[in-house]
Structures are given as C-alpha cells and as structure tokens.
Amino acid sequence: MKIVVLVRQTPDTEAQITANSSGNGIDETGIKWILNPFDEFAVEEAVQIKENTGAEVIILGIGPERALETIRTALAMGGDSAIHIKDENFGDTDSYATAKLIAAKIKAIGDVDLILAGKKWIDEESGQVPIQVAAELNIPQATIATKVDIDEAAKSIKVQSEIEGGQRIIELTFPALVTTERGINEPRYASLPGIMKAKKKPLEEVTVDAINLEELGLTAENLGVAGSRYKVDNIDIPVINRSLNVLKGGNSDMVEAGEVQAAAENLTKLLREEAKII
Amino acid sequence: MKPVVLSLIVLFAIAFFLRNVFGFLKIMFQAKRPSFRTDQIFERVKGLIIYVFGQKRILKNYTWAGIEHFMLFWGFMIITIGSTELVILGFVPGFEAFGFLGGEAQEMFLLILDIVQSLVIVALIMGVLNRTVIPSGKRREVNSIDAVVILGMIFGLMITDFGFRASKIALGTEPASWLPVSSMWATFFLSNVNVATAAFSTEFFYWIHVCLLFAFLNYLPYSKHSHVLTVIPNIFFQNLEPRGKMSKIDFENIPDDFEHFGTGKFEDFSWKDVLDAYTCTECGRCTDNCPAWGTEKPLSPRDIVIKLRHFVTENNDKEEMKTEYLPSEGWVTEEELYACTTCSACVEVCPLFIDQMGKIVEMRRFLTMEGKMKGTAVRTLQKLGSHGNPWGFDSKDRAPWTKEEKVPVLGNGGGNTAEDYEVVFWTGCFGAFDPRGQEVAATISRLLKEAGVKFAVMGPNETCTGDPARRLGEEALFQELAMANIETMNRFSVKKIIANCPHCFNSIKNEYPDFGSEVEVVTHSEFLASLVKEGKLSPVKSLDEEITYHDPCYLGRHNRVFDEPREILSAIPGLELKELERSRETSFCCGAGGGKIWMEEEAPRVNWNRFEEIEASGVETVAAACPFCNVMFEDAAKYVGNENVKIKDIAELLEDSLDLPVKNSNFEKLAEDAGDKEQSKENDDSPQV
C-alpha cells in the first residue's frame, strides 16, 4: 500500500501575528514555523497505518525553501521518503493552482492508494487544497475524519466523522483521499536527532521550472500572488481585551442551593447588561 | 582418602565457580556504554565500610528486616571463618583457625561461632516470619522459591556445623564449656552414643556441611541472592557523580553506522548496569518508595532491574542479545518508562546502590529520540524548541513583575552586564510566566532588595534550562537550550546565580559544567537562609501557625539541601514545624519531575497522594521550595476540595514575617509607567536566545 501525506508549513500557534508593511499579508520576521497541526494528525495516522500494514509513506510538501524543515519533521515522525515542490512564491499561489500541481505530482508517483491531509491549514483557515486534489484526480474523498479503519484485502477505508448529533461512517475504495480532524490520534514527537536522521531519507526536490504547467492547464501567471484568483486587501489583527469576573457558585456539593441560583441570575444579568450578548 | 575426595570436591566447586564468574564477565562486557568508576578511591572504600560492613541502608526504615539482615551478614562473616576451618581440617587434621594465637583465642572463637550460629538461626526464623506472618501491605510479587532454597541452605549449614561440633564434643575433641549451644545438642542427641557412632556422626555432618557449602557457592550466581558475591564491587563502583546529572550524548562525533541514541539494545547499557542487575536481591524497597508504583502506575523500578537480568538469562549466547530491544512490548513498556518522575527515591533506598532511575531515563531517551513519545508533552517539547519555554509564550514577556518591582534586567540599555551585580536571580520559566510562580519570584526579589543584595535578572535573555527536555529523553533539545544559556551567561559575564527552581538549579549546577559552564549557582533556600543567619533579613513578626515542609526531590534527594529551608522556617517566630512521615531522604514526590508535569497522568495521581498526607497531618500551611511542587499542590488542593491547607513558598513565609512597609502601592506604579515604556522598547531590541 502506498500512502501520500500532504504537509504544509504554517506559523506557530503561539506566534504573535502582525500585518506586513503593505497591510495585505503577515510580517514573517521572527515567526517560528511549524508543521500544520492538522497535517500532523495526517502524518501520525499514516505512520500508524504503516506500523500495522507495512505501507509506504510518502510526504509531499509544497512551499518555499524553509518548508523543508517541516517536511523533515514529517519524515522524522516516520515517513519513508519525501517530495518538496518548491518555489518562493507558493505561499501566495491560490488553492486551485496548488491542487493542480499536487495532483500532477501524485499522478507521477503512480499507484497511490491513499492520500491523507489535515482538514485545514491553521494560517489561512483554508481546507480547499485536499478536496480539490481529490477532484483533480477524480477519486472519492471523505473529510474531517476522527477514525479510520483500513481493509487491506478489500482495498477500502472506512472513515468516521463527527456530524451534528452523531457519527457518519463512509466507506471509500482506493484510491481515496481523507482529511484528518483533531482526536483521530495523538501525534508522536519528532525529536531533533530524529530530524537529523531524516536527512538520510530520500528527498526529491522539484522546482517550478521543472513542471510542465501547460499540461496542467496552467501558465506561470497562475502562480504566486499575481495569478491568484483571490486577493487579500487588508489584514486586521483583532485587539483582545480580556477581563475575568469570577462568580461564586458552581459545584453543588460545596455551595448552598440558593447561592447557585443567585450566581445564575447574576450571570444572566451580566451577559445581558454588560456583555450585551443575550 | 579424605584429602583426595575433598580435593576433588574443592577443585570441582572452584572450577565450576570460576566458569560462572567468567561467564558473567563475558556478559557484563557485552554492555558497551562506557562508565568510569575508578576515581575517588577513598570515598569508595568509605562506602564499603558504611554500607557493606555497617549495613546502614539495610537498617534504615526497615527495622525488622534490617536487624534480620544485620545478624545474617555478620553471622555469615564469622561463620565463613568456621567453614574455612572445616575445609582445611580435611587436609590438616587438628587445624584450628585461631590456633596460632593460642588455645584461648581459639576457645573464644568457638564461643563466638556458637552464639553467632544460633543468632543466624534466629534471623532465619525472622526471615520466614517476614515472608509469611508479617503483613507487608505491598503490591508486589516475591520470588519465594529462590528464598526458600537459599534460607534452607543457610539453615542446613548452621545445623550441620552444630551437628559436627556436637559430635566432636561427644568424642571429647572439642571443649564443651566454650560451645554452650553445641553442648546442648550433644546432650540432647548424642548423650548415650558410643565412640563409633560419634565418629560416624562427625564425618557425616562434616561432609554434608562441606558439600552444602560448595553447593551454596555455586547456586548463588543463579539466584537472586548473588549479591553475596557482587555487593562489594557494586558498592565500590557506585555512582559518585551528582545523582541528578545525566550523561552527555556526544552529537558531534556520531559514527556512520550509528543506529539510535539512548539505551535500546543490551549493548547500550553499561557494565555497571549489568552488575546492578546481578546484584539485585528483589527486596522491593525501591518499588515500595516509588511514587509511580504507589499510585497504581505500571512502573516498578525493581522489575526494570529484574527484567534486565531475565533478558540475559533468556537471550545469552543467542542472536537476540544483539538484535532485540529492551524498551519494547515484550520487555519494558513505554508506559513503564514514561511513568518515572525521576524523583530518585528508588536510588536513595537501595541498600546495594543500584541505579534504577539511570536505566529508566536512558531507555526513555531511546524512545523519545526514536519518535515514540506521544501526548501533551509533545507540544511542550515543540514549544521549548521554538520559544524556549514550555508554553510557547513570547520570551519578550518574561518576568513582567520586574517592572513593578524595579528589578534591573541584564542587557537593557547596552553594557549592562552581571559585573555590576553581586548575583543574578534566575527566575526559571515558572517565575517568568506562571501566575503563582511570578508571585513567588517577585517575593524573592523583594527579599533580596530588603537584604541589600545587588542583583539583576536575565529577563528575555533567559530560556528554559532544558531540564524537562533532558529528562523526557530529548537530549539534543536539552543541549541546544543549555548551550544557548551558557552563551548568554558568558556574554553577560554571569558568575553567580540564585535559582528558586530546583530543576533549573540542578541542571545549571550539575549538568552545565559538561558544556563548559563555570557559573556558581545556589538555591534560594540556601541564599535566604544565609541572609537570615547574617542578620540581613530579620523575621520578627510571629506567624502562629502549624506548618509542614515538603522536600522537593531535586532540592533534597538530588542535591542534599535538607536543612536550609528548615532553618528559614525555624527562624520565623511562632511557626511550629511538624515533619511529615515521608520527609527528607524519604520525601514523597509531588509528581511533577522528569517532565511528568507536562504529561497527562491517570488517576490516582501522585500529587493527590502527597497532598492527602499533608492534609492528614493537620497543618495549616505547607511550605514548598519548588515552583513545580507548588503548582502540583495547588492542583491537588482543587481536586480534593481543600480549604484548610495553604500552599506557600518558604520565601513568602519569610516575607510575611518581616517588618516591612506596605509593598508597591498603585500610585508608585503609575508614576513609573512613563519610564517603563522606554525600558520595554529596549527590551524588544535585545537579542533573542
């Protein structure tokens, strides 16, 4: 079985984001970059499948030079080999073009049974690329998986997702694409020596010049910020004023019954009059 | 005829014994991690005297078993002389061990031997009672068959010696008056026998005794009682390094054929680990004192050591010895290895100086660096790597209280180095970011100011010392953080540090020198105690409270700071210090160490266990001297719904007892704000580490 995991590098969850000087992007100075946390679930799931079935895990990352670090992290978690499609402008390429590039590369790998990716990127809150890859490849997909179950003999996968009021289970036959949600697993730690060791694993680097864009129905103008089908006008960083107001009451063993009622009344009053949200 | 038969027995026994010894040495040196244990010869000999001949750790905390063992040990020492005499007697008729000192010396020896042998029988009965009647209340299994065989053999040796001496008394060749117990035997069993019977009985007991003796010698290496043979080397080669110091992995010179870091296969252990494994008597004191085991976790430090021995028994001379991994489902599980809080209670109580904790953390290293670690600590390590603190806060925001307290921050305004100050106060990540930790750190800064100590903090230039990374097994990250901190300390010419976090303290004191650090570091307990002693801080206000003190593992057991925190508390008028049952060397962990604070813990938790003990002691306040312990107790207090016990740092109690003016009015703060803005801007520009 051959699994491809799509990985993206995103700013650290704790990074303090500021807008850049032109106001339509983020200022990247001093930002720590990490493997997109939802992609981390996808890598972990792939590695667990590998541990159980002996599958081959290929990491596929797209992004500038620095994204290599993230790809190595995924390799250290247990990927067997990696492909890095790199170009300094890919960060601004829209999901349509990105998906086409990825789909083309997956076709080139050949005989891929399963594609795993995070349900969304935490930087742009976008979940478009994986599903567009599935569309490009014309294969079935299931999103936001909290549990997967593989039947190797039948070459199929059962995907469970949380839906309102219950669970949804979809069975897909290979080749298929699945996006992962928090809760599907607990990702392992990619240690520094592990990342160092990952340097020995096969890595294929593809530059944009080496890709025949015409075949994909794209031109060089479709890439980067200029070719994007959407434009970011302005980025605003919200100012958060946190305040804390502790109302007594709560655990019914420890407070008088009347106190709880009083606290509830007080809370309602505050929500209506001060927060003005009810 | 007799010397010939005896020679054959002796030669055969010795040959067999040597075969065992060489077999063992061969196994021992298949473990290849280097371990140098030949320094400090004087200390090593001292260790032998106190712990082998003085039986100090055997006697401590385990009175019944301790006395039993003391009697057995010394009994054995003396009886060995008697047994040797018996063997030589087979070659030299009429030989007397102390004959060369005259007849009286020999008579005295016989008297002592007679009494000691009786005491050994008493000890054996105590041993049987200890294993049967006396309830242990311990949740551990014991290998009884081995114990029965060994105790039975010792019993046999005693009985046959009595039989031999009693027979000789009957023959009239041994002085009855100097052998009171043997005489009783003679009177009881051999009062009316003829010379021939007595002679036969002498020979009979002689041969059984000699055969038993050599059987015993050759059974020992196969039993859990092999410590009789290995205890002297094991204690002589004990670890004399600070216990909290982990070994440095050299990442600079990695061989090309390298497979992994840490201890994964048998060859990754050290020869001393193997000697430890063959010295373990399975007494279980380590496990009795283990906080993980005590709270129903799967880890039993004793079993880790036993498993190493069983691994050899099963795989010796097979391919598996080289290929199989010990941290694996079949041997030592991940759950066991990640349950350790590195509190070192096991190492502290082991009468044979076995290093259980060292084996656990070395195997944990293997797991983590092979990418086996999962759960919440994954994020912690990622944040340590990206932000230099466990939460991923921006290092610009470290220790905001320094503004309020007007504490100088090194690097502010350029040229501001540690040379302008007496000491640097190392706040640690808790003092920098945790709300409770910040309160404690601010308190310490006020105390230092009050005592007139010229000090500064490193502020944004400080990062985590790497302690949790190292103990969780991520050695490369630890080294990265350690080297960054050492570089910063050198840049600011830091010479002396006060640390209130015992984990930071331990790393800087014991581990940083391996990376070129020469900085001196003291704990806040020691520093504040000396300020009190010198009269620079005078606790005058009476606090009228019943209080107890919890010994943090990395302050007490690991670094032997037991007295200073107590000195501070006893200097405070009105405080009545009540010791917990588990205190000082046998203090019970709060559950946070070894990076465990960053992992989810199954119920019942270690901190609940300890806090329940504190609550049950009936005190009003528990004093701690470690931010980790503080947090763990706050957490436990919430769980048990505690409203009675206050949790304080020793520094806070000390401040409460000083006669100080009202601290930090808001008015003062507002007045400072304008100046602070300037300062914080410079802060932003300071180099990030």
Short mmCIF file of all heavy atoms in Angstrom, two decimals, chain A residues 116-140:
data_model
loop_
_atom_site.label_atom_id
_atom_site.label_comp_id
_atom_site.label_asym_id
_atom_site.label_seq_id
_atom_site.Cartn_x
_atom_site.Cartn_y
_atom_site.Cartn_z
N LEU A 116 -3.59 11.35 2.51
CA LEU A 116 -4.04 11.91 3.78
C LEU A 116 -3.58 13.36 3.87
O LEU A 116 -2.48 13.70 3.42
CB LEU A 116 -3.47 11.12 4.96
CG LEU A 116 -3.99 9.69 5.17
CD1 LEU A 116 -3.16 8.98 6.23
CD2 LEU A 116 -5.46 9.71 5.56
N ALA A 117 -4.42 14.20 4.48
CA ALA A 117 -4.05 15.61 4.70
C ALA A 117 -4.85 16.13 5.86
O ALA A 117 -5.88 15.55 6.23
CB ALA A 117 -4.36 16.42 3.44
N GLY A 118 -4.39 17.23 6.46
CA GLY A 118 -5.14 17.85 7.54
C GLY A 118 -6.42 18.46 7.01
O GLY A 118 -6.51 18.78 5.82
N LYS A 119 -7.42 18.60 7.90
CA LYS A 119 -8.70 19.11 7.40
C LYS A 119 -8.62 20.56 6.98
O LYS A 119 -9.42 21.03 6.19
CB LYS A 119 -9.80 18.92 8.45
CG LYS A 119 -9.70 19.87 9.63
CD LYS A 119 -11.03 19.98 10.38
CE LYS A 119 -10.88 21.03 11.48
NZ LYS A 119 -12.09 21.22 12.25
N LYS A 120 -7.63 21.29 7.56
CA LYS A 120 -7.45 22.68 7.12
C LYS A 120 -6.08 23.18 7.52
O LYS A 120 -5.38 22.56 8.32
CB LYS A 120 -8.53 23.58 7.73
CG LYS A 120 -8.42 23.73 9.24
CD LYS A 120 -9.35 24.79 9.76
CE LYS A 120 -9.15 24.97 11.25
NZ LYS A 120 -10.09 25.91 11.85
N TRP A 121 -5.67 24.29 6.92
CA TRP A 121 -4.44 24.96 7.32
C TRP A 121 -4.79 25.96 8.40
O TRP A 121 -5.79 26.68 8.29
CB TRP A 121 -3.84 25.74 6.14
CG TRP A 121 -3.47 24.90 4.96
CD1 TRP A 121 -3.22 23.57 4.95
CD2 TRP A 121 -3.30 25.36 3.62
NE1 TRP A 121 -2.90 23.15 3.69
CE2 TRP A 121 -2.93 24.24 2.84
CE3 TRP A 121 -3.40 26.61 2.99
CZ2 TRP A 121 -2.69 24.32 1.48
CZ3 TRP A 121 -3.15 26.69 1.63
CH2 TRP A 121 -2.80 25.56 0.88
N ILE A 122 -3.94 26.02 9.42
CA ILE A 122 -4.30 26.94 10.51
C ILE A 122 -3.94 28.39 10.17
O ILE A 122 -4.38 29.30 10.83
CB ILE A 122 -3.66 26.55 11.86
CG1 ILE A 122 -2.14 26.58 11.78
CG2 ILE A 122 -4.17 25.21 12.34
CD1 ILE A 122 -1.49 26.77 13.12
N ASP A 123 -3.14 28.61 9.13
CA ASP A 123 -2.78 30.01 8.84
C ASP A 123 -3.91 30.74 8.12
O ASP A 123 -4.38 31.78 8.56
CB ASP A 123 -1.46 30.10 8.06
CG ASP A 123 -1.40 29.17 6.86
OD1 ASP A 123 -2.40 28.45 6.62
OD2 ASP A 123 -0.36 29.15 6.18
N GLU A 124 -4.37 30.15 7.01
CA GLU A 124 -5.42 30.83 6.24
C GLU A 124 -6.81 30.24 6.54
O GLU A 124 -7.78 30.62 5.90
CB GLU A 124 -5.13 30.70 4.74
CG GLU A 124 -3.90 31.48 4.32
CD GLU A 124 -3.54 31.24 2.86
OE1 GLU A 124 -4.33 30.59 2.14
OE2 GLU A 124 -2.47 31.69 2.45
N GLU A 125 -6.85 29.30 7.45
CA GLU A 125 -8.11 28.61 7.77
C GLU A 125 -8.72 28.00 6.51
O GLU A 125 -9.93 27.93 6.36
CB GLU A 125 -9.12 29.58 8.42
CG GLU A 125 -8.73 30.03 9.82
CD GLU A 125 -8.82 28.90 10.84
OE1 GLU A 125 -9.85 28.21 10.91
OE2 GLU A 125 -7.83 28.71 11.58
N SER A 126 -7.87 27.59 5.58
CA SER A 126 -8.37 27.06 4.33
C SER A 126 -8.29 25.54 4.33
O SER A 126 -7.30 24.97 4.77
CB SER A 126 -7.53 27.61 3.17
OG SER A 126 -7.68 26.79 2.04
N GLY A 127 -9.35 24.92 3.84
CA GLY A 127 -9.36 23.47 3.73
C GLY A 127 -9.58 23.03 2.30
O GLY A 127 -10.04 21.94 2.02
N GLN A 128 -9.26 23.91 1.39
CA GLN A 128 -9.60 23.71 -0.02
C GLN A 128 -8.70 22.72 -0.75
O GLN A 128 -9.18 21.92 -1.55
CB GLN A 128 -9.53 25.07 -0.74
CG GLN A 128 -10.69 25.97 -0.45
CD GLN A 128 -11.94 25.51 -1.20
OE1 GLN A 128 -11.89 25.23 -2.39
NE2 GLN A 128 -13.04 25.40 -0.47
N VAL A 129 -7.39 22.81 -0.51
CA VAL A 129 -6.46 22.08 -1.36
C VAL A 129 -6.72 20.57 -1.42
O VAL A 129 -6.88 20.01 -2.50
CB VAL A 129 -5.00 22.41 -1.00
CG1 VAL A 129 -4.03 21.44 -1.67
CG2 VAL A 129 -4.68 23.83 -1.40
N PRO A 130 -6.83 19.87 -0.28
CA PRO A 130 -7.01 18.41 -0.37
C PRO A 130 -8.24 18.01 -1.19
O PRO A 130 -8.14 17.12 -2.04
CB PRO A 130 -7.15 17.98 1.09
CG PRO A 130 -6.57 19.08 1.89
CD PRO A 130 -6.74 20.33 1.11
N ILE A 131 -9.35 18.68 -0.96
CA ILE A 131 -10.56 18.25 -1.68
C ILE A 131 -10.47 18.56 -3.17
O ILE A 131 -10.96 17.82 -4.00
CB ILE A 131 -11.85 18.84 -1.04
CG1 ILE A 131 -11.79 20.36 -0.92
CG2 ILE A 131 -12.09 18.24 0.32
CD1 ILE A 131 -13.06 20.97 -0.32
N GLN A 132 -9.75 19.63 -3.49
CA GLN A 132 -9.55 19.92 -4.92
C GLN A 132 -8.59 18.91 -5.56
O GLN A 132 -8.73 18.58 -6.74
CB GLN A 132 -9.03 21.33 -5.11
CG GLN A 132 -10.08 22.39 -4.79
CD GLN A 132 -9.64 23.79 -5.18
OE1 GLN A 132 -9.03 23.99 -6.22
NE2 GLN A 132 -9.94 24.75 -4.32
N VAL A 133 -7.63 18.44 -4.76
CA VAL A 133 -6.72 17.40 -5.26
C VAL A 133 -7.54 16.16 -5.62
O VAL A 133 -7.37 15.56 -6.69
CB VAL A 133 -5.63 17.05 -4.21
CG1 VAL A 133 -4.90 15.77 -4.59
CG2 VAL A 133 -4.64 18.20 -4.07
N ALA A 134 -8.49 15.79 -4.73
CA ALA A 134 -9.34 14.62 -4.98
C ALA A 134 -10.14 14.83 -6.25
O ALA A 134 -10.29 13.93 -7.08
CB ALA A 134 -10.25 14.37 -3.79
N ALA A 135 -10.64 16.05 -6.42
CA ALA A 135 -11.44 16.36 -7.61
C ALA A 135 -10.58 16.25 -8.86
O ALA A 135 -10.99 15.66 -9.86
CB ALA A 135 -12.04 17.75 -7.47
N GLU A 136 -9.37 16.81 -8.79
CA GLU A 136 -8.45 16.75 -9.93
C GLU A 136 -8.15 15.30 -10.33
O GLU A 136 -8.04 14.97 -11.50
CB GLU A 136 -7.12 17.44 -9.59
CG GLU A 136 -7.13 18.94 -9.71
CD GLU A 136 -7.34 19.42 -11.15
OE1 GLU A 136 -6.87 18.74 -12.07
OE2 GLU A 136 -8.00 20.46 -11.32
N LEU A 137 -7.97 14.46 -9.30
CA LEU A 137 -7.61 13.06 -9.55
C LEU A 137 -8.83 12.21 -9.82
O LEU A 137 -8.72 11.03 -10.15
CB LEU A 137 -6.84 12.49 -8.35
CG LEU A 137 -5.47 13.10 -8.06
CD1 LEU A 137 -4.95 12.61 -6.72
CD2 LEU A 137 -4.48 12.74 -9.17
N ASN A 138 -9.99 12.82 -9.60
CA ASN A 138 -11.25 12.12 -9.79
C ASN A 138 -11.32 10.87 -8.90
O ASN A 138 -11.61 9.77 -9.37
CB ASN A 138 -11.41 11.75 -11.28
CG ASN A 138 -12.86 11.49 -11.60
OD1 ASN A 138 -13.74 11.90 -10.84
ND2 ASN A 138 -13.11 10.80 -12.71
N ILE A 139 -11.04 11.05 -7.64
CA ILE A 139 -11.12 9.92 -6.69
C ILE A 139 -12.05 10.31 -5.54
O ILE A 139 -12.26 11.50 -5.27
CB ILE A 139 -9.72 9.55 -6.13
CG1 ILE A 139 -9.07 10.75 -5.41
CG2 ILE A 139 -8.82 9.01 -7.23
CD1 ILE A 139 -7.85 10.39 -4.61
N PRO A 140 -12.60 9.31 -4.83
CA PRO A 140 -13.51 9.63 -3.71
C PRO A 140 -12.75 10.25 -2.53
O PRO A 140 -11.56 10.02 -2.36
CB PRO A 140 -14.10 8.28 -3.32
CG PRO A 140 -13.12 7.28 -3.81
CD PRO A 140 -12.49 7.87 -5.04
#
